[in-house]
Amino acid sequence: QVQFVESGGGLVQPGGSLRLSCSASGILFSFYTMGWYRQVPGHERELVATITSSTTTNYVDSVKGRFTISRDNAKNTVYLQMNSLKPEDTAVYYCNKARAPLVNGPFGSWGQGTQVTVSS
């Protein structure tokens, strides 16, 4: 059974930082390209960063230079370091696999996500 557990979100002021973690189980984690998705109410879920099995990383333009994705295959965990946060980064963040760098392709099962709110 595929399961993702995200953590690390919270309320932060503009310009602040957060580090998200996502623990995966029920999958051969090291095999997959993993991604961080985010969703704002009323909008589609957006894939913002991916990391391949060989640790090649890719980012959408809106987060490039501010977010860093990484993974620890020994812990079946993927991370998202978010710096210089902006109000428009406010969303629920989820992890899941991607079909390819910055190409959607998640498993059907999602975790509960972690809320990130950027506000003064």
Side-chain angles (χ1 to χ4, degrees):
Q1 181 180 353
V2 178
Q3 188 171 14
F4 300 105
V5 179
E6 299 92 352
S7 63
L11 173 64
V12 63
Q13 292 187 343
S17 298
L18 285 172
R19 188 190 192 213
L20 307 184
S21 299
C22 172
S23 177
S25 59
I27 64 171
L28 187 56
F29 180 82
S30 61
F31 177 79
Y32 291 105
T33 292
M34 294 299 297
W36 280 96
Y37 298 74
R38 67 185 181 186
Q39 188 171 26
V40 176
H43 295 264
E44 290 191 0
R45 205 166 291 180
E46 173 191 24
L47 179 59
V48 299
T50 55
I51 182 166
T52 68
S53 58
S54 59
T55 68
T56 298
T57 59
N58 293 86
Y59 305 91
V60 295
D61 287 345
S62 60
V63 308
K64 198 173 295 183
R66 301 187 298 119
F67 289 11
T68 303
I69 188 172
S70 60
R71 66 192 297 163
D72 184 338
N73 290 338
K75 296 182 179 180
N76 282 11
T77 299
V78 60
Y79 304 97
L80 188 67
Q81 177 67 44
M82 305 187 296
N83 299 328
S84 302
L85 282 161
K86 303 176 180 180
E88 51 263 43
D89 295 319
T90 296
V92 179
Y93 284 73
Y94 304 85
C95 76
N96 210 312
K97 77 170 181 69
R99 189 185 308 277
L102 296 181
V103 176
N104 285 2
F107 290 108
S109 176
W110 292 88
Q112 83 288 349
T114 187
Q115 175 72 49
V116 172
T117 303
V118 185
S119 174
S120 55

